[in-house]
Amino acid sequence: MTFGGWRFAGCAVLLGATLLAACSSPDPRLYTIASLPGTAVSGAPRVVSLHTVGIARYLQRNQIVQTSEDYRVVLRGTEWWAEPLDAMLTRVLAQDLTERLPQTTVYTSAGAVTGSPEATIEVELSRLDVDRAGNLLLIGQASVSFKSQPAPDTRTLRISQPPPSPGVEGQIAATSTAIAQVADEIAQMLAAAPGRR
């Protein structure tokens, strides 16, 4: 009885220590990608719709992925995205496109505002993290479908962006710049709309 009592008390102490350690873990630091200014482009359709940016499953998590090199995914501990990454990328890309296309209304297909778009944008990212050389690497595809053209214009995206500083802040800044470059590419694709050249 005494031995069993000691065992129960020991388990209770161990459980209490575990809960205390869990409660004392630091709160995550939250980060967001920023929209960046760009060169205005004319000749794009008046209304375009941006579908939610698709991302690889390994990126679909709260924690920021530092790298996926050498067959393993390394996370940045208590450094988290402030919102789901696919939603954040969609929001920032829409802002970047609005900056570059002042004569175009850009709305997201998942948002509350809807319309009758003359073009539809789809983006799929298979990689968005730091490579072995320390650069932010973005790999994916962008597709623009025009209402007046049956076949979409699809292009491969591969952007290597050196971070301006080490650590997570540099990675986030480089990510913002890479997404801005994606917006530059898509703006040019939209400007090449059939009948608008």
Side-chain angles (χ1 to χ4, degrees):
M1 291 292 291
T2 303
F3 177 73
W6 277 109
R7 186 194 302 183
F8 177 78
C11 288
V13 169
L14 181 60
L15 179 61
T18 302
L19 289 174
L20 183 61
C23 292
S24 64
S25 61
D27 291 333
R29 292 184 292 274
L30 304 180
Y31 293 87
T32 185
I33 301 165
S35 175
L36 298 177
T39 303
V41 175
S42 61
R46 294 297 301 273
V47 181
V48 301
S49 172
L50 172 63
H51 285 195
T52 299
V53 174
I55 57 175
R57 289 293 295 270
Y58 84 96
L59 293 167
Q60 297 175 11
R61 58 184 71 246
N62 292 330
Q63 290 169 296
I64 296 171
V65 175
Q66 178 180 352
T67 186
S68 60
E69 292 281 352
D70 302 320
Y71 309 107
R72 66 192 185 104
V73 174
V74 179
L75 305 178
R76 285 198 174 271
T78 58
E79 293 155 328
W80 292 14
W81 293 117
E83 61 185 297
L85 183 57
D86 54 354
M88 183 188 304
L89 291 169
T90 304
R91 174 178 60 79
V92 173
L93 183 56
Q95 292 172 352
D96 283 342
L97 287 169
T98 298
E99 174 78 23
R100 288 151 179 77
L101 303 168
Q103 299 170 334
T104 300
T105 298
V106 180
Y107 70 90
T108 61
S109 60
V113 177
T114 59
S116 180
E118 297 172 46
T120 302
I121 306 162
E122 296 175 308
V123 177
E124 183 78 27
L125 300 182
S126 58
R127 182 163 182 189
L128 187 65
D129 57 59
V130 178
D131 65 13
R132 195 175 288 107
N135 297 323
L136 187 283
L137 182 59
L138 181 153
I139 299 175
Q141 288 186 319
S143 176
V144 174
S145 300
F146 297 102
K147 204 171 187 180
S148 58
Q149 182 176 323
D153 181 2
T154 302
R155 301 185 187 181
T156 297
L157 303 170
R158 185 179 179 89
I159 298 170
S160 180
Q161 180 63 39
S165 61
V168 66
E169 288 83 3
Q171 180 178 346
I172 302 303
T175 301
S176 300
T177 302
I179 296 302
Q181 291 177 38
V182 171
D184 291 335
E185 180 76 14
I186 293 173
Q188 293 296 331
M189 294 167 72
L190 288 166
R196 292 179 176 267
R197 295 182 224 196

